[in-house]
Amino acid sequence: MNFPAELKYTKDHEWISIDGDVATIGITDFAQSELGDIVFVEIETEGEELDKEEVFGSVEAVKTVSDLFMPISGEVLEMNPKIEESPEVVNSDPYGEGWMIKVKISDASELEDLLDVNAYKEAAGV
């Protein structure tokens, strides 16, 4: 399983990459493997301002549906159009082409609450 050290993580299995005041968010390799084959991703929060831990969408796999939670507060700037057409890219490339949303960060201090790679592995039990 892949856990890039440069990313931050949440206990809910989202990853976050920071570039200035914009964060890219997706689900971890562990999360996609636990969910199984992803068949649909629903994100209808583009343009909305959401608080940390609010639901920004959901992922539907063959065996379950799982909510997606905001790791930080901010405005949802963009949804990845590729995951609408080909949701299976979340399984094959969760940290690359399978990203979910881009968010304009509204409270950078919340980044301090995120997990580093070692804390995430411990929380995930891997």
Side-chain angles (χ1 to χ4, degrees):
M1 228 169 272
N2 185 15
F3 301 100
E6 70 276 9
L7 301 177
K8 294 290 188 181
Y9 299 90
T10 71
K11 62 180 176 24
D12 297 312
H13 310 290
E14 282 86 22
W15 61 263
I16 181 170
S17 169
I18 310 299
D19 183 12
D21 65 349
V22 175
T24 303
I25 299 167
I27 64 170
T28 65
D29 195 17
F30 176 80
Q32 70 78 23
S33 69
E34 291 290 302
L35 287 167
D37 292 337
I38 294 172
V39 295
F40 186 69
V41 179
E42 181 177 37
I43 298 173
E44 296 180 349
T45 51
E46 194 168 334
E48 292 182 27
E49 183 81 27
L50 298 175
D51 290 330
K52 177 180 174 180
E53 298 183 2
E54 267 193 271
V55 173
F56 70 81
S58 63
V59 174
E60 184 177 336
V62 173
K63 53 185 174 177
T64 189
V65 175
S66 183
D67 285 336
L68 300 165
F69 298 96
M70 291 286 285
I72 53 162
S73 301
E75 179 188 351
V76 180
L77 299 173
E78 176 184 355
M79 175 196 161
N80 182 354
K82 183 168 269 187
I83 61 174
E84 260 187 323
E85 302 158 14
S86 305
E88 66 277 2
V89 74
V90 176
N91 291 115
S92 62
D93 192 10
Y95 301 114
E97 292 189 359
W99 62 273
M100 303 280 177
I101 58 172
K102 292 190 185 271
V103 173
K104 182 167 178 49
I105 300 168
S106 61
D107 184 355
S109 71
E110 292 176 345
L111 297 171
E112 297 169 18
D113 298 332
L114 298 171
L115 306 174
D116 67 16
V117 65
N118 293 325
Y120 175 69
K121 283 180 173 179
E122 188 175 308
V126 292

